[in-house]
Coordinates of all heavy atoms in Angstrom, one line a residue:
K32 N -2.5 -24.3 3.9 CA -3.2 -25.5 4.5 C -3.7 -25.0 5.9 O -4.8 -25.4 6.3 CB -2.2 -26.6 4.7 CG -1.8 -27.3 3.4 CD -0.8 -28.4 3.6 CE -0.4 -29.1 2.2 NZ 0.6 -30.1 2.4
A33 N -3.0 -24.3 6.7 CA -3.4 -23.8 8.0 C -4.6 -22.9 7.8 O -5.6 -22.9 8.5 CB -2.3 -23.1 8.7
L34 N -4.5 -22.0 6.8 CA -5.6 -21.1 6.5 C -6.9 -21.8 6.1 O -8.0 -21.5 6.6 CB -5.2 -20.1 5.4 CG -5.9 -18.8 5.2 CD1 -5.8 -18.0 6.5 CD2 -5.3 -18.0 4.2
N35 N -6.7 -22.8 5.3 CA -7.9 -23.6 4.9 C -8.6 -24.3 6.1 O -9.8 -24.3 6.2 CB -7.5 -24.7 3.9 CG -7.6 -24.2 2.4 OD1 -8.7 -24.1 2.0 ND2 -6.5 -24.0 1.7
K36 N -7.7 -24.8 7.0 CA -8.3 -25.5 8.2 C -9.1 -24.5 9.0 O -10.2 -24.8 9.6 CB -7.1 -26.1 9.0 CG -7.6 -26.9 10.2 CD -6.3 -27.6 10.9 CE -6.8 -28.4 12.1 NZ -5.6 -29.0 12.8
T37 N -8.5 -23.3 9.2 CA -9.2 -22.2 10.0 C -10.5 -21.9 9.3 O -11.6 -21.7 10.1 CB -8.3 -21.0 10.1 OG1 -7.1 -21.4 10.8 CG2 -9.0 -19.9 10.9
F38 N -10.5 -21.6 8.1 CA -11.8 -21.3 7.4 C -12.8 -22.4 7.4 O -14.0 -22.1 7.6 CB -11.5 -20.8 6.0 CG -11.3 -19.4 5.8 CD1 -10.2 -18.7 6.4 CD2 -12.2 -18.6 5.0 CE1 -10.1 -17.3 6.2 CE2 -12.0 -17.3 4.9 CZ -11.0 -16.7 5.5
Q39 N -12.4 -23.6 7.3 CA -13.3 -24.7 7.4 C -14.0 -24.8 8.8 O -15.2 -25.2 8.9 CB -12.6 -26.0 7.2 CG -12.2 -26.2 5.7 CD -11.3 -27.4 5.4 OE1 -11.0 -28.2 6.4 NE2 -10.9 -27.6 4.2
S40 N -13.3 -24.3 9.9 CA -13.9 -24.3 11.2 C -15.0 -23.3 11.3 O -15.8 -23.4 12.2 CB -12.8 -24.0 12.2 OG -12.4 -22.7 12.1
F41 N -15.0 -22.3 10.4 CA -16.1 -21.4 10.3 C -17.1 -21.7 9.1 O -17.9 -20.8 8.7 CB -15.5 -20.0 10.1 CG -14.8 -19.4 11.3 CD1 -13.5 -19.5 11.4 CD2 -15.6 -18.8 12.3 CE1 -12.8 -19.0 12.6 CE2 -14.9 -18.3 13.5 CZ -13.5 -18.4 13.6
N42 N -17.0 -22.9 8.6 CA -17.9 -23.3 7.5 C -17.7 -22.5 6.2 O -18.7 -22.3 5.5 CB -19.3 -23.3 8.0 CG -19.6 -24.3 9.1 OD1 -19.1 -25.4 9.1 ND2 -20.4 -23.8 10.1
H43 N -16.5 -22.2 6.0 CA -16.2 -21.5 4.7 C -15.1 -22.3 4.0 O -14.3 -22.9 4.6 CB -15.6 -20.1 5.0 CG -16.6 -19.1 5.5 ND1 -17.7 -18.7 4.8 CD2 -16.8 -18.5 6.8 CE1 -18.5 -17.9 5.5 NE2 -17.9 -17.7 6.7
T44 N -15.1 -22.2 2.7 CA -14.1 -22.9 1.9 C -13.3 -21.9 1.1 O -13.8 -20.8 0.8 CB -14.8 -23.8 0.9 OG1 -15.6 -23.0 0.0 CG2 -15.5 -24.9 1.6
I45 N -12.1 -22.2 0.9 CA -11.1 -21.3 0.1 C -10.8 -22.0 -1.2 O -10.5 -23.2 -1.3 CB -9.8 -21.1 0.9 CG1 -10.1 -20.3 2.2 CG2 -8.8 -20.4 0.0 CD1 -8.9 -20.1 3.0
K46 N -10.9 -21.2 -2.3 CA -10.6 -21.7 -3.6 C -9.4 -20.8 -4.2 O -9.5 -19.6 -4.2 CB -11.8 -21.6 -4.5 CG -11.5 -22.0 -6.0 CD -12.8 -21.9 -6.8 CE -12.5 -22.2 -8.2 NZ -12.0 -23.7 -8.4
R47 N -8.4 -21.4 -4.6 CA -7.3 -20.7 -5.2 C -7.7 -20.1 -6.6 O -8.3 -20.7 -7.4 CB -6.1 -21.6 -5.5 CG -5.2 -21.8 -4.2 CD -3.9 -22.5 -4.6 NE -2.7 -21.7 -4.1 CZ -1.9 -21.0 -4.8 NH1 -2.0 -21.0 -6.1 NH2 -1.0 -20.3 -4.2
A48 N -7.4 -18.8 -6.8 CA -7.7 -18.1 -8.0 C -6.7 -18.5 -9.1 O -6.9 -18.1 -10.3 CB -7.7 -16.6 -7.8
H49 N -5.6 -19.1 -8.8 CA -4.6 -19.5 -9.8 C -3.9 -20.8 -9.2 O -3.7 -21.0 -8.1 CB -3.5 -18.4 -10.0 CG -2.9 -17.9 -8.7 ND1 -1.7 -18.3 -8.2 CD2 -3.4 -17.0 -7.8 CE1 -1.4 -17.7 -7.1 NE2 -2.5 -16.9 -6.8
E50 N -3.7 -21.7 -10.2 CA -3.3 -23.1 -9.8 C -1.8 -23.1 -9.6 O -1.0 -22.3 -10.1 CB -3.7 -24.1 -10.9 CG -5.2 -24.2 -11.0 CD -5.9 -24.6 -9.8 OE1 -5.4 -25.4 -9.0 OE2 -7.1 -24.1 -9.5
Y51 N -1.3 -24.2 -9.0 CA 0.1 -24.6 -8.9 C 0.6 -24.9 -10.3 O -0.1 -25.6 -11.0 CB 0.2 -25.8 -7.9 CG 1.6 -26.4 -7.8 CD1 2.5 -25.8 -6.9 CD2 2.1 -27.4 -8.6 CE1 3.8 -26.3 -6.8 CE2 3.4 -27.8 -8.6 CZ 4.2 -27.3 -7.6 OH 5.5 -27.8 -7.5
D52 N 1.7 -24.4 -10.6 CA 2.3 -24.6 -12.0 C 3.3 -25.8 -11.9 O 4.4 -25.7 -11.3 CB 3.1 -23.3 -12.4 CG 3.5 -23.3 -13.8 OD1 4.0 -24.4 -14.3 OD2 3.3 -22.3 -14.6
E53 N 3.0 -26.8 -12.6 CA 3.8 -28.1 -12.5 C 5.2 -27.8 -13.2 O 6.2 -28.5 -12.9 CB 3.1 -29.2 -13.2 CG 1.9 -29.7 -12.5 CD 2.2 -30.4 -11.1 OE1 3.4 -30.7 -10.9 OE2 1.3 -30.6 -10.4
I54 N 5.3 -26.9 -14.1 CA 6.5 -26.6 -14.8 C 7.4 -25.7 -14.0 O 8.6 -26.0 -13.8 CB 6.3 -26.0 -16.2 CG1 5.5 -26.9 -17.1 CG2 7.6 -25.6 -16.9 CD1 5.1 -26.4 -18.4
K55 N 6.9 -24.7 -13.4 CA 7.6 -23.7 -12.6 C 7.9 -24.3 -11.2 O 8.8 -23.9 -10.5 CB 6.9 -22.4 -12.5 CG 6.8 -21.7 -13.8 CD 6.1 -20.3 -13.6 CE 6.0 -19.6 -14.9 NZ 5.2 -18.3 -14.7
K56 N 7.1 -25.3 -10.7 CA 7.2 -25.9 -9.4 C 6.9 -24.9 -8.3 O 7.5 -24.9 -7.2 CB 8.6 -26.5 -9.2 CG 9.0 -27.6 -10.2 CD 8.0 -28.7 -10.2 CE 8.3 -29.8 -11.2 NZ 7.3 -30.9 -11.3
H57 N 5.9 -24.1 -8.5 CA 5.4 -23.2 -7.4 C 4.0 -22.6 -7.9 O 3.6 -22.8 -9.0 CB 6.4 -22.0 -7.2 CG 6.5 -21.0 -8.2 ND1 5.5 -20.0 -8.4 CD2 7.4 -20.8 -9.2 CE1 5.8 -19.2 -9.4 NE2 7.0 -19.7 -9.9
G58 N 3.3 -22.1 -6.9 CA 2.0 -21.5 -7.2 C 1.8 -20.1 -6.9 O 0.7 -19.6 -6.6
F59 N 2.8 -19.4 -7.2 CA 2.8 -17.9 -7.0 C 2.5 -17.2 -8.2 O 2.7 -17.6 -9.4 CB 4.2 -17.4 -6.5 CG 4.6 -17.8 -5.1 CD1 5.6 -18.7 -4.9 CD2 3.9 -17.3 -4.0 CE1 6.0 -19.1 -3.6 CE2 4.3 -17.7 -2.7 CZ 5.3 -18.6 -2.5
I60 N 1.9 -15.9 -8.0 CA 1.8 -15.0 -9.1 C 3.2 -14.3 -9.2 O 3.6 -13.7 -8.3 CB 0.7 -13.9 -8.8 CG1 -0.7 -14.5 -8.7 CG2 0.7 -12.8 -9.9 CD1 -1.7 -13.6 -8.3

Side-chain angles (χ1 to χ4, degrees):
K32 287 177 180 176
L34 199 56
N35 267 291
K36 185 176 180 181
T37 300
F38 263 64
Q39 287 172 4
S40 70
F41 289 97
N42 297 317
H43 291 293
T44 58
I45 294 178
K46 179 179 176 60
R47 279 192 126 250
H49 50 101
E50 299 298 326
Y51 176 88
D52 192 315
E53 293 290 349
I54 297 176
K55 294 180 179 179
K56 302 300 180 184
H57 69 78
F59 291 110
I60 296 174

